[in-house]
Amino acid sequence: MTARASVTVLRPGMMASVQDMGRYGHRQLGICPGGALDTLALALANRLVGNADGAAGLELTMGACELRFDTATRIAIAGDDFDVRLDGVPLWPCWSVAVNAGQILKLGRANRSSTKQGLRTWLAVAGGIDVPLVLGSRSTDLKAGFGGHEGRVLKAGDQLMLGAPALNAAQLARRPFGLRMPEWSFHADDQAIVLRVMPGPEFEQFTVASRDLLWREPWRITPQSNRMGSRLEGPELKRKRSADMLSSAVIPGTIQVPPSGQPIILMGDAQTTGGYPRIGVVIRADLWKLAQAPLNGRLRLQPVDAAEALAAWDGQRRYLSQVAQGLASAGWIAPAQNSVEGVTHAD
């Protein structure tokens, strides 16, 4: 009997977990979608190793991770650059690389005082990380403690099984190749990360001055941020009058304003309802920027309307279509995609 392919965690770093595209269709039960906070990065990494977009990979936070591959396979990393090295040889983001049994992948440690290095990166392995499906997803729900690998973050000594790769032996061993990342605007002139935002249901409840400050002033991402949400620090946002609210639906990207007046941008592991006023929502096409934004990094929020939001999403879909065409023209396989290009989730 042939031993199953696996990856061994030698050092997990901070908040490493198994994630796929998310767990949808269960919000009525209070179950958040979760999944990779940057679905674009996971899709790109998966395509580079012959996986469907939604195959489970590893979300690695702030570097300082070390993995050993117990079998020959193929890997790709997409997201932020943490000085990734395979047996000491640099591995660039969005490159597909063959790996021999016994090789060790190391990610450098993030510099917490730097606002230039990002926060997260995503690793795909040919065949995907083979953990049980729970409610239709392999993602780890860290709040509820289910899914992924034993419902928790990874720790040293964990052995992760791999699924059967779609690649043949020649493709697994193919020389390295890579993709060009999209040339979308990431920073403003002052090096703040630009997030496009649509006004939220309670936008008009805020004073005119606060609405102006939301767009005009930069915001700092505080260290109290996590997969549930990014807490921002900046000018105080005030409502015209204080009043209790009934809990209402929230989604990843929703910008809530608690009584402190300091906004919180909800992320994949956030609750499904909330009682704070929703001043805006980050458009879907820009959520990847927030997922990669560093702690203490600066944000600028830019108002857009529904037409602009849809155009931005169409641009992301076109980029993924171009990636598929480019890989196909280079002789790479094109597995059936459970893709982020055109999926409409039940949530």
Side-chain angles (χ1 to χ4, degrees):
M1 183 175 177
T2 304
R4 291 185 66 194
S6 65
V7 177
T8 299
V9 179
L10 303 180
R11 190 169 52 135
M14 182 182 293
M15 293 292 291
S17 62
V18 177
Q19 301 292 345
D20 60 16
M21 290 295 177
R23 183 173 284 109
Y24 289 88
H26 308 287
R27 294 179 66 87
Q28 75 277 14
L29 303 175
I31 298 174
C32 64
L37 295 183
D38 183 347
T39 55
L40 176 62
L42 180 60
L44 292 174
N46 271 326
R47 292 185 182 200
L48 285 166
V49 296
N51 295 342
D53 289 354
L58 299 184
E59 183 173 284
L60 306 172
T61 304
M62 298 186 75
C65 178
E66 190 171 335
L67 307 169
R68 183 184 68 234
F69 298 91
D70 302 317
T71 187
T73 185
R74 195 166 188 94
I75 63 171
I77 277 187
D80 291 303
D81 185 359
F82 287 104
D83 187 26
V84 183
R85 294 174 183 267
L86 183 64
D87 278 359
V89 178
L91 191 161
W92 307 111
C94 278
W95 276 73
S96 177
V97 177
V99 175
N100 296 320
Q103 286 196 286
I104 293 176
L105 184 78
K106 291 184 179 181
L107 279 72
R109 184 179 296 275
N111 179 358
R112 296 192 185 192
S113 65
S114 172
T115 59
K116 293 182 179 179
Q117 189 173 45
L119 193 62
R120 300 178 179 90
T121 198
W122 287 262
L123 170 70
V125 186
I129 306 297
D130 189 13
V131 293
L133 282 167
V134 179
L135 297 177
S137 171
R138 293 183 169 86
S139 286
T140 312
D141 189 318
L142 296 171
K143 290 188 305 176
F146 66 81
H149 182 73
E150 300 180 1
R152 57 169 171 80
V153 296
L154 301 179
K155 62 183 182 181
D158 284 343
Q159 189 175 41
L160 305 173
M161 299 297 109
L162 301 179
L167 305 174
N168 59 36
Q171 290 169 325
L172 283 171
R174 183 173 173 170
R175 65 184 178 85
F177 66 92
L179 293 173
R180 177 179 296 177
M181 289 296 291
E183 296 178 357
W184 299 320
S185 174
F186 195 82
H187 293 98
D189 291 340
D190 61 359
Q191 290 304 297
I193 295 170
V194 177
L195 298 180
R196 290 166 288 187
V197 173
M198 290 183 60
E202 286 76 52
F203 181 78
E204 296 294 335
Q205 292 185 13
F206 288 83
T207 65
V208 173
S210 292
R211 284 180 259 160
D212 180 60
L213 289 170
L214 181 71
W215 313 126
R216 189 183 68 203
E217 295 298 316
W219 300 90
R220 182 179 72 90
I221 303 172
T222 74
Q224 288 70 48
S225 303
N226 54 31
R227 280 184 52 90
M228 292 182 65
S230 290
R231 291 182 175 270
L232 308 186
E233 181 182 81
E236 182 182 356
L237 301 180
K238 298 179 180 180
R239 295 167 73 189
K240 296 175 182 176
R241 63 182 181 87
S242 178
D244 291 336
M245 284 182 52
L246 295 175
S247 290
S248 303
V250 294
I251 59 174
T254 296
I255 306 175
Q256 292 187 302
V257 182
S260 66
Q262 300 298 285
I264 302 170
I265 307 180
L266 301 184
M267 301 183 77
D269 281 1
Q271 72 279 9
T272 57
T273 62
Y276 295 142
R278 300 157 294 179
I279 196 170
V281 60
V282 177
I283 67 172
R284 187 179 180 187
D286 280 2
L287 288 177
W288 69 276
K289 300 181 186 180
L290 185 61
Q292 296 187 27
L295 300 180
N296 292 314
R298 287 153 52 90
L299 300 176
R300 283 196 178 274
L301 306 181
Q302 175 182 311
V304 295
D305 59 22
E308 291 170 303
L310 289 171
W313 184 243
D314 284 343
Q316 193 171 117
R317 293 172 61 190
R318 284 195 302 274
Y319 167 74
L320 286 169
S321 294
Q322 291 166 359
V323 166
Q325 293 168 8
L327 290 174
S329 66
W332 200 236
I333 68 168
Q337 304 292 334
N338 52 336
S339 175
V340 296
E341 289 182 52
V343 171
T344 300
H345 294 300
D347 280 350

